[in-house]
Amino acid sequence: QSALGTPTATDAMMTVTIGGFGSLMDEASARATTPSITNWRYGWVDGYVRVFNLVSILNIARGNATGDHLATCTARAVDGAKLRVCLYDVPAAEYPQLLARERRLREVVAPYKDDTGGAGECVIFGEYSDAEYRAERATTDELWHEEGQYCLQSIRISLRL
């Protein structure tokens, strides 16, 4: 379950601000998952850097996993760092779709400052260690196996393309 709670029917007007980096800095890519994006802008999240530390399952599935396109990035907490992000709002009802897309990443609520001086909180997607992921997300052998099968199936699909 999301750190922000599960949206309900009464949350129809509520939005969640996303701090996108990596593929979420591309508006077309972000809209593929959350088509009702509003308030697209740029800003900074203090205390985080971008690290390329995961194999990109999506690029493998699309047949694009070569060279620089094999890795995908997450956010890592680093004192004194600044992470450049795009900021945008998504309806709470579309937020679960984004969580599913970023399922291997940690949901982090972090303060931001946008380029016009505005400030607030946004969700960024951070890294997990294997131990943290197993403890927090794949809490049973069945869930751990399911995640592994998801990754393997994505690889098998790309090999058929």
Side-chain angles (χ1 to χ4, degrees):
Q1 179 173 346
S2 165
L4 300 178
T6 303
T8 65
T10 59
D11 294 330
M13 299 303 290
M14 192 173 123
T15 61
V16 178
T17 300
I18 306 302
F21 57 93
S23 65
L24 292 179
M25 283 195 93
D26 176 68
E27 189 171 355
S29 179
R31 281 189 187 281
T33 306
T34 50
S36 302
I37 288 171
T38 58
N39 199 19
W40 188 273
R41 61 214 186 274
Y42 294 92
W44 297 92
V45 173
D46 289 340
Y48 286 88
V49 297
R50 190 170 70 150
V51 293
F52 290 85
N53 61 347
L54 284 178
V55 172
S56 176
I57 300 301
L58 185 60
N59 279 342
I60 290 172
R62 291 179 177 168
N64 297 328
T66 60
D68 293 346
H69 300 286
L70 183 58
T72 191
C73 59
T74 63
R76 176 179 292 167
V78 173
D79 288 338
K82 288 184 172 234
L83 177 63
R84 182 68 166 160
V85 296
C86 62
L87 296 158
Y88 58 92
D89 301 327
V90 299
E94 290 181 10
Y95 187 62
Q97 296 162 212
L98 183 58
L99 288 177
R101 170 182 170 157
E102 304 297 333
R103 67 191 272 165
R104 296 188 304 149
L105 307 178
R106 179 190 309 268
E107 177 187 27
V108 177
V109 178
Y112 72 82
K113 292 181 186 169
D114 70 28
D115 289 352
T116 65
E121 288 189 328
C122 65
V123 173
I124 61 174
F125 293 98
E127 69 178 344
Y128 274 112
S129 69
D130 286 344
E132 290 169 333
Y133 188 85
R134 182 126 194 190
E136 295 178 28
R137 299 294 293 276
T139 55
T140 66
D141 286 341
E142 182 178 277
L143 288 172
W144 183 252
H145 179 73
E146 179 182 304
E147 182 65 21
Q149 291 304 309
Y150 165 78
C151 294
L152 288 174
Q153 182 173 0
S154 295
I155 292 167
R156 285 186 196 114
I157 289 169
S158 70
L159 292 174
R160 285 188 218 141
L161 297 176

